[in-house]
Amino acid sequence: MSETQIAQERKVVTSIPGPKSQAMHKRRLEAVSAGAGAALPAYIEAAHGAILVDVDGNQLIDLGSGIGVTTIGHTNAGVIAAVQEQVTKLTHTLFTATPYEPYVEVCELLNKHVPGNFKKKTALFNSGAEAVENAVKLVRKATRKNGIVVFDHAYHGRTNLTFSMNFKNAPYGNGFGPTAASIQHVPMSYPYRDPQGMTGVEAAQRSITYIEKRVGVEDLAAIFIEPIQGEGGFIVPAPGFLKTLSDWAHANGVLVVADEVQAGIARTGKWFATEWEEGFEPDLFTIAKGIAGGMPISAVTGRAEIMDASHPGGMGGTFGGNPVSAAAAVAVLKQIEAGGVIERAQQIEALLVPKLRELQAKYPVIGDVRGRGAMIAIEFVEPGTLNPNKAAVDAVAKFMHSNGVFVLTAGTHYNVIRFLPPLAITDELLLDALSVLEEALKSL
Ligand SMILES: *Cc1c(COP(=O)(O)O)cnc(C)c1O
């Protein structure tokens, strides 16, 4: 079966995971480190658009995109063509030894589309965490200061430096040795859980008080913030929060880094989620997940003088900006440029959000519906309270998984279900997935 012949429909032919998946899972438990988890051990053989086909022949609707990676759609024709062409020409030289054009082209495209009215430059890496690590190095070198401020509910990766920047200790950092120094956590704007009526400006003032009193600006290099938090549960800060913070930072000689690893690249109905708040002006951006249709590549893009602060040889890595991944990124970025992709994310929000609000009115276990574009979440509570309801999320996710809809959970309290579909998803598949969600809610 050619991937592109996969019909865009849900099909459940065995239990999920089915017998073949269960057999593979046995092998995995024997061979693979226990440190890698599995949200749903159905082994996927092929995928196209928004459909995953498992080894038992089940067709699952993908509402996760591998955590916002296959934004352009699984086995996208443009990505396939670019990868196939590049792989026959050149797969590796090491950009910092003997360079190649696709790397430069990705940098040019990102410099063009990343927000900011200033001269920009870019460097490429392999993963989101690696991009964040290099952004930390750059802001420290550029400012000659050490302090890094991050926010409650934030997620920045699983390396030693980035797990130290996460809000949650478990499961990312606990037991894995000392955390990195000079990282300070401050409150985030979380409209659903903040005091009622608290504005974005007031929430920013609360964060700024923490920074000024507890951290101090003297040795503060930068603030790192996800303009819409990913793993934290798609928390969209109140309007005015991001602008107030970045205005304060710039008035105090502090840089601002937008971690757009999950929210960037057309996901929220703009090129970057930063663009939703006028006046929010990050100096650097970290970019990864959705950029190359599933091929591993990441970037730091931003003010040229900060990007040039590193001495030659200070940044790099063997595989960073690999030619095949770079060719895939060019194919994705050019499709977004050509139009229709960003608009599709907006249409997905327009379809999903009113339907989810209807469900919220019927099922008070849904406390909040939030997000932008194709980055939408529902937060579960014990009805009539703000108490997180992880049990309901587990039951709903399990019901959806066994009925052929793959959803991811999120949230500091694991009480959020997130909708992060490939933008190639059809309206029919979205409506079908919503009907399964409603059955799951009924079954609670
Ligand atoms: C996923 C993620 C990262 C880490 O990216 P990896 O590629 O998994 O290392 C960093 N920041 C944000 C906001 C993320 O969502």
Side-chain angles (χ1 to χ4, degrees):
M1 176 171 53
S2 144
E3 289 76 8
T4 49
Q5 285 165 5
I6 296 169
Q8 295 298 292
E9 62 191 27
R10 179 169 62 100
K11 203 167 82 184
V12 179
V13 296
T14 69
S15 61
I16 300 179
K20 286 185 184 164
S21 278
Q22 289 174 29
M24 279 179 200
H25 201 57
K26 264 201 187 140
R27 281 168 52 204
R28 169 197 169 126
L29 293 177
E30 202 48 40
V32 180
S33 159
L40 169 62
Y43 285 68
I44 306 301
E45 189 168 74
H48 183 63
I51 289 289
L52 305 170
V53 185
D54 74 12
V55 288
D56 291 285
N58 297 298
Q59 298 201 170
L60 290 86
I61 302 175
D62 184 11
L63 297 184
S65 306
I67 314 197
V69 170
T70 51
T71 303
I72 198 76
H74 290 279
T75 52
N76 171 269
V79 172
I80 294 176
V83 165
Q84 283 180 337
E85 193 194 335
Q86 184 60 44
V87 85
T88 60
K89 289 201 294 193
L90 179 76
T91 57
H92 180 78
T93 64
L94 176 53
F95 185 76
T96 53
T98 47
Y100 41 87
E101 188 186 7
Y103 187 115
V104 179
E105 201 174 357
V106 174
C107 296
E108 288 168 347
L109 284 163
L110 287 176
N111 295 343
K112 179 171 162 199
H113 292 292
V114 162
N117 208 357
F118 40 75
K119 162 97 178 138
K120 277 164 255 159
K121 287 195 175 182
T122 293
L124 301 181
F125 307 96
N126 300 291
S127 68
E130 211 187 336
V132 173
E133 291 240 351
N134 280 281
V136 171
K137 283 159 60 180
L138 284 165
V139 296
R140 284 177 169 163
K141 187 83 201 272
T143 61
R144 311 263 161 188
K145 295 188 275 186
N146 297 308
I148 300 293
V149 155
V150 289
F151 290 82
D152 292 352
H153 313 292
Y155 181 80
H156 297 289
R158 279 184 158 91
T159 58
N160 185 274
L161 176 54
T162 55
F163 81 53
S164 308
M165 296 166 72
N166 295 344
F167 177 62
K168 281 202 283 195
N169 178 42
Y172 311 118
N174 52 319
F176 293 144
T179 50
S182 302
I183 293 161
Q184 304 277 355
H185 297 253
V186 305
M188 174 67 183
S189 164
Y190 191 161
Y192 180 56
R193 292 185 176 276
D194 280 341
Q196 265 211 336
M198 180 181 241
T199 66
V201 174
E202 288 162 354
Q205 207 48 60
R206 178 180 59 183
S207 311
I208 290 165
T209 303
Y210 264 77
I211 301 172
E212 288 178 338
K213 301 299 169 200
R214 267 197 54 74
V215 183
V217 296
E218 247 158 88
D219 190 39
L220 182 56
I223 288 173
F224 277 65
I225 189 160
E226 298 158 85
I228 297 179
Q229 289 184 324
E231 303 306 296
F234 293 8
I235 299 165
V236 184
F241 179 75
L242 295 169
K243 177 191 184 319
T244 306
L245 269 179
S246 86
D247 285 352
W248 172 87
H250 292 142
N252 287 277
V254 174
L255 296 175
V256 177
V257 182
D259 184 348
E260 291 252 16
V261 165
Q262 193 159 157
I265 312 286
R267 175 52 64 184
T268 67
K270 302 256 188 204
W271 271 93
F272 292 92
T274 290
E275 295 164 62
W276 286 107
E277 173 126 333
E278 210 171 313
F280 174 48
E281 290 173 355
D283 302 285
L284 291 187
F285 293 75
T286 53
I287 299 158
K289 292 187 164 105
I291 190 175
M295 298 297 287
I297 189 167
S298 68
V300 182
T301 299
R303 284 186 189 276
E305 63 274 21
I306 304 171
M307 295 304 298
D308 285 339
S310 170
H311 41 275
M315 321 199 73
T318 306
F319 293 115
N322 168 274
V324 183
S325 293
V330 169
V332 169
L333 296 171
K334 287 205 163 152
Q335 286 181 67
I336 300 173
E337 265 190 348
V341 179
I342 287 174
E343 294 75 7
R344 183 61 193 146
Q346 294 164 359
Q347 291 161 4
I348 289 171
E349 175 181 344
L351 188 152
L352 270 183
V353 170
K355 300 260 181 219
L356 292 172
R357 290 210 195 285
E358 276 170 35
L359 291 177
Q360 181 187 20
K362 263 164 100 177
Y363 301 95
V365 73
I366 300 179
D368 195 26
V369 176
R370 58 177 178 255
R372 291 193 196 279
M375 187 173 182
I376 304 293
I378 49 181
E379 176 164 350
F380 285 69
V381 291
E382 290 163 8
T385 74
L386 283 177
N387 300 338
N389 193 341
K390 174 180 184 298
V393 161
D394 289 345
V396 167
K398 189 162 181 246
F399 184 101
M400 294 181 79
H401 291 169
S402 24
N403 285 280
V405 182
F406 182 68
V407 286
L408 289 163
T409 59
T412 293
H413 304 286
Y414 302 100
N415 65 323
V416 174
I417 286 185
R418 49 180 156 175
F419 302 93
L420 211 51
L423 303 182
I425 196 167
T426 62
D427 285 356
E428 292 70 38
L429 282 182
L430 276 174
L431 292 170
D432 186 26
L434 284 169
S435 72
V436 175
L437 170 64
E438 174 143 29
E439 281 172 46
L441 290 164
K442 261 188 222 155
S443 78
L444 284 178

